[in-house]
Amino acid sequence: MMKEPSNHIEEDILGPLPPPLYEEVEEDDDDDGDSEEEENPVQKIPDSHEITLKHGTKTVSALGLDPSGARLVTGGYDYDVKFWDFAGMDASFKAFRSLQPCECHQIKSLQYSNTGDMILVVSGSSQAKVIDRDGFEVMECIKGDQYIVDMANTKGHTAMLHTGSWHPKIKGEFMTCSNDATVRTWEVENPRKQRSVFKPRTMQGKKVIPTTCTYSRDGNLIAAACQNGSIQIWDRNLTVHPKFHYKQAHDPGTDTSCVAFSYDGNVLASRGGDDTLKLWDIRQFNKPLFSASGLPTLFPMTDCCFSPDDKLIVTGTSVQRGCGSGKLVFFERRTFQRVYEIDITDASVVRCLWHPKLNQIMVGTGNGLAKVYYDPNKSQRGAKLCVVKTQRKAKQAETLTQDYIITPHALPMFREPRQRSTRKQLEKDRLDPLKSHKPEPPVAGPGRGGRVGTHGGTLSSYIVKNIALDKTDDSNPREAILRHAKAAEDNPYWVSPAYSKTQPKTMFAQVESDDEEAKNEPEWKKRKI
């Protein structure tokens, strides 16, 4: 920083100096200082200290910091959105709130509005949400009709979202892009229908899916990068044809993950899925100013940003698990030389954010960490507020003297039995005559004591078995009946009185042998040999 000379101190020590000579010397010193700063923009990078915020175990895919720099919000593949308050945190670095605003959809983008009172949440669903600073829902965009061919005639997105962005000047206006091949602008006051629809097209007029979008710094332009490798820029108020269209900005079929405008609004940086970072001048949008390759990316939301003084461009690199460490790479805007890099962690660097007021760099990684880099001398507030606070300890005196509150369900008659250990429970069950009763063995032979034998467990099976046993008698049925003829003659009670008049003398058929029966059979019944 440039400091103005203190005249009265110089005069007290050295005595009065001629004004012209004094001004020339000071101007020369200032010029030397400016030239040194211009030659070494790396010295302004605040990376001397860092803190680590544990978001979870999965990729931190979204970062947002409010304009004042007081609160940080992180979102990840675990569907969680966590709120961090630098002024309220201590050295334990714990989030003060965690929620899942989009249920089971991965969080893809989080951004505070220009007033800092609302957060735009873009997830893998087709409906973006706006929540307030405390996490309560303000509005949810309507879902469109997926059976309509012209996407301009439906009220909202019909496919998965990619990213979103707030308008930098107009309060309550934001933009989203989706897999339905549209970019839509919305107003918070009207969630039932979008404000306008931009439809990216190829040079042949076919649909193409936008993978990222952003506003220019003044909010007059809307830029989107598409899956065919093109970058298209529209006037915000003219939705028909793009104002600028470069059809081969990146390799076709690769998802361009980020486009970002510089603070002066003249330069656009694009982070391509083809492992490149390119710089464009929108005043001459016919070829890239610079291009840097060898920047691997594995995530569809790897982004890039400009430093607050517009002299550096920052982006992250991705690595396979166990194959090195992700880096934060810095390029000088004027020459596009790779001037500096920071090894972040042994995982990919997905998100990066350089806040202009705090002069601190926030980084989201692929292993669930959010890191904050700062310099005690160059940075303001932010992480500096919570680092100096010691971790709070629970007061033992309060826990010992705490009174018990007995609720009605805590009384003995309502109290649930406390879970015992397994050994004690087994010993108690052994003393219980019902639980420790040995099961009776099956009955051998005929049943006894009301128990059926081993032939079956039902009465029907018992009867069937006895019937089967009775059929073992294969004696002549005629002889079995005549066995009772003597008793019936001596004591006629049932049958004999009925035949006393019609057949007083009982007549029985003569027994014939098998040979005689065969002789008396007709010819057609005889067996042919």
Side-chain angles (χ1 to χ4, degrees):
M1 298 289 295
M2 295 174 56
K3 297 182 180 179
E4 299 199 2
S6 179
N7 294 336
H8 62 281
I9 295 177
E10 296 283 342
E11 291 177 359
D12 290 343
I13 298 175
L14 302 176
L17 296 174
L21 179 61
Y22 180 77
E23 290 177 1
E24 287 180 6
V25 171
E26 289 299 318
E27 285 179 359
D28 291 340
D29 292 342
D30 289 345
D31 292 341
D32 293 338
D34 290 344
S35 61
E36 289 179 0
E37 289 183 355
E38 288 179 0
E39 291 175 0
N40 299 316
V42 179
Q43 294 180 356
K44 296 184 178 181
I45 299 175
D47 66 330
S48 61
H49 295 69
E50 68 174 271
I51 64 171
T52 302
L53 308 177
K54 181 69 175 177
H55 174 85
T57 57
K58 296 186 177 180
T59 300
V60 177
S61 54
L63 282 178
L65 199 60
D66 68 341
S68 63
R71 284 189 179 181
L72 174 70
V73 60
T74 60
Y77 279 5
D78 55 0
Y79 322 132
D80 288 339
V81 173
K82 294 190 176 182
F83 293 79
W84 315 79
D85 189 358
F86 289 121
M89 275 195 305
D90 55 16
S92 61
F93 306 131
K94 293 182 179 179
F96 73 90
R97 181 164 294 131
S98 177
L99 53 96
Q100 291 185 356
C102 301
E103 297 178 352
C104 295
H105 292 286
Q106 295 177 349
I107 307 299
K108 296 197 169 184
S109 175
L110 294 170
Q111 187 180 4
Y112 274 91
S113 61
N114 54 358
T115 55
D117 58 343
M118 292 181 291
I119 304 171
L120 174 61
V121 182
V122 177
S123 65
S125 68
S126 59
Q127 297 170 271
K129 286 188 177 182
V130 176
I131 58 177
D132 61 10
R133 287 176 62 87
D134 297 320
F136 297 102
E137 184 175 321
V138 177
M139 65 89 73
E140 182 180 19
C141 298
I142 192 172
K143 185 176 181 179
D145 189 348
Q146 57 188 352
Y147 298 104
I148 295 179
V149 177
D150 189 359
M151 286 290 104
N153 294 330
T154 185
K155 297 180 180 179
H157 287 295
T158 61
M160 178 185 69
L161 298 175
H162 284 291
T163 188
S165 177
W166 287 100
H167 194 284
K169 303 293 183 181
I170 301 175
K171 180 180 179 181
E173 181 181 327
F174 62 93
M175 167 180 55
T176 55
C177 66
S178 166
N179 262 359
D180 60 5
T182 61
V183 177
R184 300 175 190 261
T185 59
W186 304 80
E187 292 176 344
V188 175
E189 293 79 9
N190 185 17
R192 308 303 300 174
K193 188 177 181 181
Q194 76 271 346
R195 178 183 173 274
S196 58
V197 182
F198 300 86
K199 297 185 291 185
R201 292 290 186 264
T202 62
M203 299 302 288
Q204 293 78 26
K206 296 181 180 180
K207 288 183 179 180
V208 62
I209 295 175
T211 56
T212 184
C213 59
T214 188
Y215 282 102
S216 61
R217 295 291 176 176
D218 57 4
N220 294 329
L221 299 177
I222 290 177
C226 305
Q227 280 187 343
N228 64 343
S230 66
I231 295 179
Q232 304 181 28
I233 302 177
W234 293 269
D235 190 310
R236 173 178 165 271
N237 299 316
L238 300 175
T239 63
V240 181
H241 296 291
K243 188 175 182 179
F244 305 105
H245 186 177
Y246 193 83
K247 61 180 181 179
Q248 291 183 347
H250 292 277
D251 291 347
T254 60
D255 291 350
T256 302
S257 56
C258 179
V259 287
F261 281 92
S262 62
Y263 284 92
D264 59 15
N266 297 326
V267 175
L268 179 72
S270 61
R271 180 69 163 95
D274 53 358
D275 301 342
T276 61
L277 176 66
K278 294 185 179 181
L279 209 61
W280 310 81
D281 190 341
I282 61 174
R283 295 167 295 186
Q284 296 179 351
F285 202 68
N286 51 10
K287 64 177 181 178
L289 295 176
F290 300 102
S291 178
S293 58
L295 303 170
T297 174
L298 301 175
F299 293 88
M301 63 279 299
T302 303
D303 56 2
C304 58
C305 63
F306 286 84
S307 62
D309 59 0
D310 253 358
K311 294 181 179 179
L312 295 174
I313 303 170
V314 190
T315 189
T317 61
S318 301
V319 293
Q320 296 285 352
R321 182 174 296 179
C323 298
S325 59
K327 298 179 180 179
L328 199 64
V329 185
F330 296 80
F331 292 89
E332 190 176 3
R333 172 182 166 178
R334 185 168 51 87
T335 61
F336 222 63
Q337 296 293 322
R338 190 166 178 166
V339 294
Y340 195 67
E341 61 183 30
I342 305 173
D343 287 338
I344 304 297
T345 182
D346 57 349
S348 302
V349 176
V350 182
R351 288 287 188 178
C352 59
L353 179 66
W354 195 335
H355 197 270
K357 287 188 178 180
L358 301 184
N359 194 26
Q360 298 178 13
I361 302 174
M362 322 291 166
V363 179
T365 66
N367 56 357
L369 302 180
K371 292 197 171 187
V372 182
Y373 289 86
Y374 68 98
D375 189 303
N377 299 322
K378 304 171 186 175
S379 302
Q380 307 293 328
R381 301 190 305 276
K384 293 171 62 178
L385 300 177
C386 56
V387 171
V388 297
K389 295 182 181 179
T390 57
Q391 187 171 352
R392 301 187 185 96
K393 296 182 180 180
K395 296 182 180 180
Q396 297 295 331
E398 292 182 0
T399 57
L400 293 175
T401 59
Q402 184 178 8
D403 295 332
Y404 288 101
I405 301 174
I406 300 177
T407 60
H409 292 285
L411 298 176
M413 61 185 300
F414 298 109
R415 188 181 303 155
E416 295 181 359
R418 187 168 56 87
Q419 185 66 32
R420 299 172 178 267
S421 64
T422 306
R423 184 175 60 83
K424 291 184 178 180
Q425 187 66 33
L426 291 176
E427 292 177 356
K428 183 180 179 182
D429 293 345
R430 177 61 63 189
L431 300 176
D432 190 348
L434 294 178
K435 292 184 178 180
S436 62
H437 179 66
K438 180 182 177 182
E440 297 182 2
V443 178
R448 62 180 182 274
R451 301 182 64 201
V452 184
T454 56
H455 53 75
T458 61
L459 180 61
S460 60
S461 63
Y462 176 73
I463 295 173
V464 168
K465 182 180 180 182
N466 288 338
I467 291 174
L469 292 176
D470 291 342
K471 288 183 178 180
T472 57
D473 185 13
D474 57 352
S475 62
N476 192 351
R478 175 187 175 88
E479 294 178 357
I481 294 175
L482 292 178
R483 191 183 303 142
H484 305 283
K486 180 66 174 171
E489 185 179 356
D490 296 342
N491 186 17
Y493 185 79
W494 296 107
V495 179
S496 297
Y499 294 96
S500 60
K501 293 182 180 180
T502 58
Q503 190 181 355
K505 184 176 177 64
T506 306
M507 293 169 41
F508 295 103
Q510 297 296 325
V511 178
E512 297 180 358
S513 62
D514 294 340
D515 295 338
E516 292 178 355
E517 289 179 0
K519 290 178 182 179
N520 295 331
E521 285 183 359
E523 291 295 329
W524 59 274
K525 278 190 176 182
K526 292 182 180 180
R527 184 178 179 183
K528 295 179 181 180
I529 300 175

PDB file of all heavy atoms in Angstrom, residues 183 198-201 220-224 226 232-244:
ATOM      1  N   VAL A 183     -31.091 -21.351 -20.992  1.00  0.00           N
ATOM      2  CA  VAL A 183     -30.633 -20.490 -19.896  1.00  0.00           C
ATOM      3  C   VAL A 183     -31.812 -19.598 -19.541  1.00  0.00           C
ATOM      4  O   VAL A 183     -32.350 -18.907 -20.413  1.00  0.00           O
ATOM      5  CB  VAL A 183     -29.402 -19.646 -20.307  1.00  0.00           C
ATOM      6  CG1 VAL A 183     -28.998 -18.723 -19.172  1.00  0.00           C
ATOM      7  CG2 VAL A 183     -28.241 -20.545 -20.699  1.00  0.00           C
ATOM      8  N   PHE A 198     -33.182 -18.001 -22.797  1.00  0.00           N
ATOM      9  CA  PHE A 198     -32.144 -17.956 -23.831  1.00  0.00           C
ATOM     10  C   PHE A 198     -31.893 -19.398 -24.286  1.00  0.00           C
ATOM     11  O   PHE A 198     -31.690 -20.285 -23.448  1.00  0.00           O
ATOM     12  CB  PHE A 198     -30.851 -17.342 -23.293  1.00  0.00           C
ATOM     13  CG  PHE A 198     -31.007 -15.928 -22.799  1.00  0.00           C
ATOM     14  CD1 PHE A 198     -31.411 -15.678 -21.496  1.00  0.00           C
ATOM     15  CD2 PHE A 198     -30.757 -14.853 -23.632  1.00  0.00           C
ATOM     16  CE1 PHE A 198     -31.561 -14.386 -21.035  1.00  0.00           C
ATOM     17  CE2 PHE A 198     -30.906 -13.556 -23.177  1.00  0.00           C
ATOM     18  CZ  PHE A 198     -31.314 -13.316 -21.878  1.00  0.00           C
ATOM     19  N   LYS A 199     -31.909 -19.600 -25.604  1.00  0.00           N
ATOM     20  CA  LYS A 199     -31.749 -20.948 -26.152  1.00  0.00           C
ATOM     21  C   LYS A 199     -30.465 -21.021 -26.983  1.00  0.00           C
ATOM     22  O   LYS A 199     -30.440 -20.550 -28.129  1.00  0.00           O
ATOM     23  CB  LYS A 199     -32.960 -21.312 -27.025  1.00  0.00           C
ATOM     24  CG  LYS A 199     -34.269 -21.349 -26.232  1.00  0.00           C
ATOM     25  CD  LYS A 199     -35.431 -21.839 -27.079  1.00  0.00           C
ATOM     26  CE  LYS A 199     -35.804 -20.829 -28.137  1.00  0.00           C
ATOM     27  NZ  LYS A 199     -37.007 -21.258 -28.887  1.00  0.00           N
ATOM     28  N   PRO A 200     -29.402 -21.582 -26.418  1.00  0.00           N
ATOM     29  CA  PRO A 200     -28.164 -21.718 -27.197  1.00  0.00           C
ATOM     30  C   PRO A 200     -28.376 -22.653 -28.387  1.00  0.00           C
ATOM     31  O   PRO A 200     -29.093 -23.654 -28.300  1.00  0.00           O
ATOM     32  CB  PRO A 200     -27.173 -22.318 -26.198  1.00  0.00           C
ATOM     33  CG  PRO A 200     -27.762 -22.037 -24.856  1.00  0.00           C
ATOM     34  CD  PRO A 200     -29.235 -22.026 -25.036  1.00  0.00           C
ATOM     35  N   ARG A 201     -27.755 -22.317 -29.495  1.00  0.00           N
ATOM     36  CA  ARG A 201     -27.862 -23.109 -30.715  1.00  0.00           C
ATOM     37  C   ARG A 201     -26.481 -23.271 -31.345  1.00  0.00           C
ATOM     38  O   ARG A 201     -25.597 -22.420 -31.175  1.00  0.00           O
ATOM     39  CB  ARG A 201     -28.807 -22.435 -31.726  1.00  0.00           C
ATOM     40  CG  ARG A 201     -30.270 -22.418 -31.298  1.00  0.00           C
ATOM     41  CD  ARG A 201     -30.869 -23.811 -31.330  1.00  0.00           C
ATOM     42  NE  ARG A 201     -32.292 -23.808 -31.057  1.00  0.00           N
ATOM     43  CZ  ARG A 201     -32.817 -24.027 -29.859  1.00  0.00           C
ATOM     44  NH1 ARG A 201     -32.021 -24.215 -28.812  1.00  0.00           N
ATOM     45  NH2 ARG A 201     -34.136 -24.046 -29.689  1.00  0.00           N
ATOM     46  N   ASN A 220     -25.159  -6.431 -17.890  1.00  0.00           N
ATOM     47  CA  ASN A 220     -25.793  -6.237 -19.194  1.00  0.00           C
ATOM     48  C   ASN A 220     -25.606  -7.426 -20.128  1.00  0.00           C
ATOM     49  O   ASN A 220     -26.343  -7.562 -21.110  1.00  0.00           O
ATOM     50  CB  ASN A 220     -25.237  -4.977 -19.869  1.00  0.00           C
ATOM     51  CG  ASN A 220     -25.624  -3.722 -19.116  1.00  0.00           C
ATOM     52  OD1 ASN A 220     -26.683  -3.666 -18.488  1.00  0.00           O
ATOM     53  ND2 ASN A 220     -24.753  -2.719 -19.149  1.00  0.00           N
ATOM     54  N   LEU A 221     -24.624  -8.270 -19.879  1.00  0.00           N
ATOM     55  CA  LEU A 221     -24.342  -9.406 -20.750  1.00  0.00           C
ATOM     56  C   LEU A 221     -24.532 -10.708 -19.977  1.00  0.00           C
ATOM     57  O   LEU A 221     -24.310 -10.776 -18.763  1.00  0.00           O
ATOM     58  CB  LEU A 221     -22.916  -9.338 -21.299  1.00  0.00           C
ATOM     59  CG  LEU A 221     -22.559  -8.123 -22.155  1.00  0.00           C
ATOM     60  CD1 LEU A 221     -21.089  -8.191 -22.552  1.00  0.00           C
ATOM     61  CD2 LEU A 221     -23.446  -8.040 -23.392  1.00  0.00           C
ATOM     62  N   ILE A 222     -24.927 -11.751 -20.703  1.00  0.00           N
ATOM     63  CA  ILE A 222     -25.063 -13.095 -20.164  1.00  0.00           C
ATOM     64  C   ILE A 222     -24.197 -14.011 -21.010  1.00  0.00           C
ATOM     65  O   ILE A 222     -24.366 -14.088 -22.235  1.00  0.00           O
ATOM     66  CB  ILE A 222     -26.528 -13.563 -20.180  1.00  0.00           C
ATOM     67  CG1 ILE A 222     -27.335 -12.772 -19.147  1.00  0.00           C
ATOM     68  CG2 ILE A 222     -26.629 -15.054 -19.918  1.00  0.00           C
ATOM     69  CD1 ILE A 222     -28.811 -13.118 -19.141  1.00  0.00           C
ATOM     70  N   ALA A 223     -23.252 -14.705 -20.373  1.00  0.00           N
ATOM     71  CA  ALA A 223     -22.330 -15.598 -21.078  1.00  0.00           C
ATOM     72  C   ALA A 223     -22.628 -17.036 -20.678  1.00  0.00           C
ATOM     73  O   ALA A 223     -22.897 -17.321 -19.499  1.00  0.00           O
ATOM     74  CB  ALA A 223     -20.877 -15.247 -20.763  1.00  0.00           C
ATOM     75  N   ALA A 224     -22.582 -17.922 -21.658  1.00  0.00           N
ATOM     76  CA  ALA A 224     -22.793 -19.348 -21.405  1.00  0.00           C
ATOM     77  C   ALA A 224     -21.826 -20.142 -22.257  1.00  0.00           C
ATOM     78  O   ALA A 224     -21.576 -19.810 -23.414  1.00  0.00           O
ATOM     79  CB  ALA A 224     -24.235 -19.754 -21.719  1.00  0.00           C
ATOM     80  N   CYS A 226     -21.071 -24.050 -23.770  1.00  0.00           N
ATOM     81  CA  CYS A 226     -21.929 -25.171 -24.164  1.00  0.00           C
ATOM     82  C   CYS A 226     -21.095 -26.433 -24.400  1.00  0.00           C
ATOM     83  O   CYS A 226     -19.868 -26.399 -24.503  1.00  0.00           O
ATOM     84  CB  CYS A 226     -22.717 -24.819 -25.418  1.00  0.00           C
ATOM     85  SG  CYS A 226     -23.685 -23.299 -25.259  1.00  0.00           S
ATOM     86  N   GLN A 232     -21.164 -18.518 -25.926  1.00  0.00           N
ATOM     87  CA  GLN A 232     -22.148 -17.610 -26.498  1.00  0.00           C
ATOM     88  C   GLN A 232     -22.492 -16.535 -25.476  1.00  0.00           C
ATOM     89  O   GLN A 232     -22.682 -16.838 -24.293  1.00  0.00           O
ATOM     90  CB  GLN A 232     -23.408 -18.381 -26.927  1.00  0.00           C
ATOM     91  CG  GLN A 232     -23.103 -19.513 -27.891  1.00  0.00           C
ATOM     92  CD  GLN A 232     -24.339 -20.266 -28.345  1.00  0.00           C
ATOM     93  OE1 GLN A 232     -25.436 -19.706 -28.388  1.00  0.00           O
ATOM     94  NE2 GLN A 232     -24.165 -21.545 -28.696  1.00  0.00           N
ATOM     95  N   ILE A 233     -22.560 -15.293 -25.953  1.00  0.00           N
ATOM     96  CA  ILE A 233     -22.821 -14.153 -25.080  1.00  0.00           C
ATOM     97  C   ILE A 233     -24.008 -13.389 -25.649  1.00  0.00           C
ATOM     98  O   ILE A 233     -24.016 -13.020 -26.833  1.00  0.00           O
ATOM     99  CB  ILE A 233     -21.581 -13.237 -24.968  1.00  0.00           C
ATOM    100  CG1 ILE A 233     -20.374 -14.030 -24.433  1.00  0.00           C
ATOM    101  CG2 ILE A 233     -21.864 -12.052 -24.073  1.00  0.00           C
ATOM    102  CD1 ILE A 233     -19.092 -13.235 -24.366  1.00  0.00           C
ATOM    103  N   TRP A 234     -25.026 -13.160 -24.799  1.00  0.00           N
ATOM    104  CA  TRP A 234     -26.223 -12.433 -25.203  1.00  0.00           C
ATOM    105  C   TRP A 234     -26.297 -11.088 -24.491  1.00  0.00           C
ATOM    106  O   TRP A 234     -25.739 -10.913 -23.403  1.00  0.00           O
ATOM    107  CB  TRP A 234     -27.489 -13.209 -24.823  1.00  0.00           C
ATOM    108  CG  TRP A 234     -27.723 -14.494 -25.541  1.00  0.00           C
ATOM    109  CD1 TRP A 234     -28.423 -14.698 -26.688  1.00  0.00           C
ATOM    110  CD2 TRP A 234     -27.270 -15.784 -25.137  1.00  0.00           C
ATOM    111  NE1 TRP A 234     -28.439 -16.020 -27.033  1.00  0.00           N
ATOM    112  CE2 TRP A 234     -27.735 -16.720 -26.099  1.00  0.00           C
ATOM    113  CE3 TRP A 234     -26.505 -16.244 -24.064  1.00  0.00           C
ATOM    114  CZ2 TRP A 234     -27.474 -18.074 -26.000  1.00  0.00           C
ATOM    115  CZ3 TRP A 234     -26.235 -17.592 -23.970  1.00  0.00           C
ATOM    116  CH2 TRP A 234     -26.712 -18.491 -24.946  1.00  0.00           C
ATOM    117  N   ASP A 235     -26.993 -10.177 -25.125  1.00  0.00           N
ATOM    118  CA  ASP A 235     -27.459  -8.988 -24.424  1.00  0.00           C
ATOM    119  C   ASP A 235     -28.595  -9.423 -23.504  1.00  0.00           C
ATOM    120  O   ASP A 235     -29.470 -10.189 -23.905  1.00  0.00           O
ATOM    121  CB  ASP A 235     -27.941  -7.929 -25.422  1.00  0.00           C
ATOM    122  CG  ASP A 235     -28.193  -6.591 -24.749  1.00  0.00           C
ATOM    123  OD1 ASP A 235     -28.897  -6.581 -23.726  1.00  0.00           O
ATOM    124  OD2 ASP A 235     -27.716  -5.566 -25.262  1.00  0.00           O
ATOM    125  N   ARG A 236     -28.605  -8.930 -22.269  1.00  0.00           N
ATOM    126  CA  ARG A 236     -29.595  -9.392 -21.293  1.00  0.00           C
ATOM    127  C   ARG A 236     -31.022  -9.144 -21.756  1.00  0.00           C
ATOM    128  O   ARG A 236     -31.939  -9.905 -21.415  1.00  0.00           O
ATOM    129  CB  ARG A 236     -29.338  -8.700 -19.950  1.00  0.00           C
ATOM    130  CG  ARG A 236     -30.388  -8.944 -18.886  1.00  0.00           C
ATOM    131  CD  ARG A 236     -30.016  -8.261 -17.593  1.00  0.00           C
ATOM    132  NE  ARG A 236     -31.152  -8.195 -16.694  1.00  0.00           N
ATOM    133  CZ  ARG A 236     -32.045  -7.217 -16.664  1.00  0.00           C
ATOM    134  NH1 ARG A 236     -31.917  -6.195 -17.511  1.00  0.00           N
ATOM    135  NH2 ARG A 236     -33.055  -7.226 -15.808  1.00  0.00           N
ATOM    136  N   ASN A 237     -31.265  -8.119 -22.534  1.00  0.00           N
ATOM    137  CA  ASN A 237     -32.610  -7.770 -22.959  1.00  0.00           C
ATOM    138  C   ASN A 237     -32.978  -8.307 -24.339  1.00  0.00           C
ATOM    139  O   ASN A 237     -34.104  -8.106 -24.787  1.00  0.00           O
ATOM    140  CB  ASN A 237     -32.778  -6.247 -22.949  1.00  0.00           C
ATOM    141  CG  ASN A 237     -32.583  -5.670 -21.562  1.00  0.00           C
ATOM    142  OD1 ASN A 237     -33.087  -6.210 -20.582  1.00  0.00           O
ATOM    143  ND2 ASN A 237     -31.829  -4.579 -21.471  1.00  0.00           N
ATOM    144  N   LEU A 238     -32.045  -8.993 -25.020  1.00  0.00           N
ATOM    145  CA  LEU A 238     -32.310  -9.536 -26.353  1.00  0.00           C
ATOM    146  C   LEU A 238     -32.029 -11.032 -26.314  1.00  0.00           C
ATOM    147  O   LEU A 238     -30.867 -11.451 -26.250  1.00  0.00           O
ATOM    148  CB  LEU A 238     -31.425  -8.857 -27.414  1.00  0.00           C
ATOM    149  CG  LEU A 238     -31.589  -7.336 -27.556  1.00  0.00           C
ATOM    150  CD1 LEU A 238     -30.571  -6.785 -28.544  1.00  0.00           C
ATOM    151  CD2 LEU A 238     -33.010  -6.993 -27.988  1.00  0.00           C
ATOM    152  N   THR A 239     -33.096 -11.830 -26.348  1.00  0.00           N
ATOM    153  CA  THR A 239     -32.948 -13.262 -26.139  1.00  0.00           C
ATOM    154  C   THR A 239     -32.832 -14.061 -27.429  1.00  0.00           C
ATOM    155  O   THR A 239     -32.627 -15.264 -27.383  1.00  0.00           O
ATOM    156  CB  THR A 239     -34.156 -13.786 -25.352  1.00  0.00           C
ATOM    157  OG1 THR A 239     -35.348 -13.590 -26.140  1.00  0.00           O
ATOM    158  CG2 THR A 239     -34.309 -13.047 -24.031  1.00  0.00           C
ATOM    159  N   VAL A 240     -32.973 -13.426 -28.592  1.00  0.00           N
ATOM    160  CA  VAL A 240     -33.081 -14.205 -29.831  1.00  0.00           C
ATOM    161  C   VAL A 240     -31.710 -14.679 -30.304  1.00  0.00           C
ATOM    162  O   VAL A 240     -31.436 -15.874 -30.352  1.00  0.00           O
ATOM    163  CB  VAL A 240     -33.787 -13.383 -30.927  1.00  0.00           C
ATOM    164  CG1 VAL A 240     -33.916 -14.212 -32.195  1.00  0.00           C
ATOM    165  CG2 VAL A 240     -35.158 -12.937 -30.448  1.00  0.00           C
ATOM    166  N   HIS A 241     -30.849 -13.751 -30.660  1.00  0.00           N
ATOM    167  CA  HIS A 241     -29.553 -14.118 -31.213  1.00  0.00           C
ATOM    168  C   HIS A 241     -28.448 -13.663 -30.259  1.00  0.00           C
ATOM    169  O   HIS A 241     -28.523 -12.572 -29.679  1.00  0.00           O
ATOM    170  CB  HIS A 241     -29.335 -13.469 -32.586  1.00  0.00           C
ATOM    171  CG  HIS A 241     -30.320 -13.953 -33.617  1.00  0.00           C
ATOM    172  ND1 HIS A 241     -30.297 -15.231 -34.105  1.00  0.00           N
ATOM    173  CD2 HIS A 241     -31.344 -13.313 -34.241  1.00  0.00           C
ATOM    174  CE1 HIS A 241     -31.270 -15.379 -34.982  1.00  0.00           C
ATOM    175  NE2 HIS A 241     -31.924 -14.232 -35.090  1.00  0.00           N
ATOM    176  N   PRO A 242     -27.404 -14.469 -30.110  1.00  0.00           N
ATOM    177  CA  PRO A 242     -26.296 -14.042 -29.246  1.00  0.00           C
ATOM    178  C   PRO A 242     -25.527 -12.875 -29.858  1.00  0.00           C
ATOM    179  O   PRO A 242     -25.402 -12.755 -31.081  1.00  0.00           O
ATOM    180  CB  PRO A 242     -25.428 -15.299 -29.139  1.00  0.00           C
ATOM    181  CG  PRO A 242     -25.767 -16.119 -30.326  1.00  0.00           C
ATOM    182  CD  PRO A 242     -27.195 -15.821 -30.641  1.00  0.00           C
ATOM    183  N   LYS A 243     -25.023 -12.038 -28.972  1.00  0.00           N
ATOM    184  CA  LYS A 243     -24.233 -10.891 -29.421  1.00  0.00           C
ATOM    185  C   LYS A 243     -22.858 -11.344 -29.886  1.00  0.00           C
ATOM    186  O   LYS A 243     -22.319 -10.806 -30.861  1.00  0.00           O
ATOM    187  CB  LYS A 243     -24.131  -9.887 -28.273  1.00  0.00           C
ATOM    188  CG  LYS A 243     -23.516  -8.565 -28.639  1.00  0.00           C
ATOM    189  CD  LYS A 243     -23.572  -7.604 -27.459  1.00  0.00           C
ATOM    190  CE  LYS A 243     -23.003  -6.241 -27.827  1.00  0.00           C
ATOM    191  NZ  LYS A 243     -23.074  -5.290 -26.682  1.00  0.00           N
ATOM    192  N   PHE A 244     -22.277 -12.329 -29.172  1.00  0.00           N
ATOM    193  CA  PHE A 244     -20.986 -12.906 -29.550  1.00  0.00           C
ATOM    194  C   PHE A 244     -21.138 -14.420 -29.546  1.00  0.00           C
ATOM    195  O   PHE A 244     -21.816 -14.991 -28.690  1.00  0.00           O
ATOM    196  CB  PHE A 244     -19.865 -12.496 -28.581  1.00  0.00           C
ATOM    197  CG  PHE A 244     -19.726 -11.015 -28.400  1.00  0.00           C
ATOM    198  CD1 PHE A 244     -20.181 -10.400 -27.241  1.00  0.00           C
ATOM    199  CD2 PHE A 244     -19.143 -10.230 -29.376  1.00  0.00           C
ATOM    200  CE1 PHE A 244     -20.065  -9.041 -27.064  1.00  0.00           C
ATOM    201  CE2 PHE A 244     -19.015  -8.865 -29.209  1.00  0.00           C
ATOM    202  CZ  PHE A 244     -19.476  -8.265 -28.059  1.00  0.00           C
TER     203      PHE A 244
END
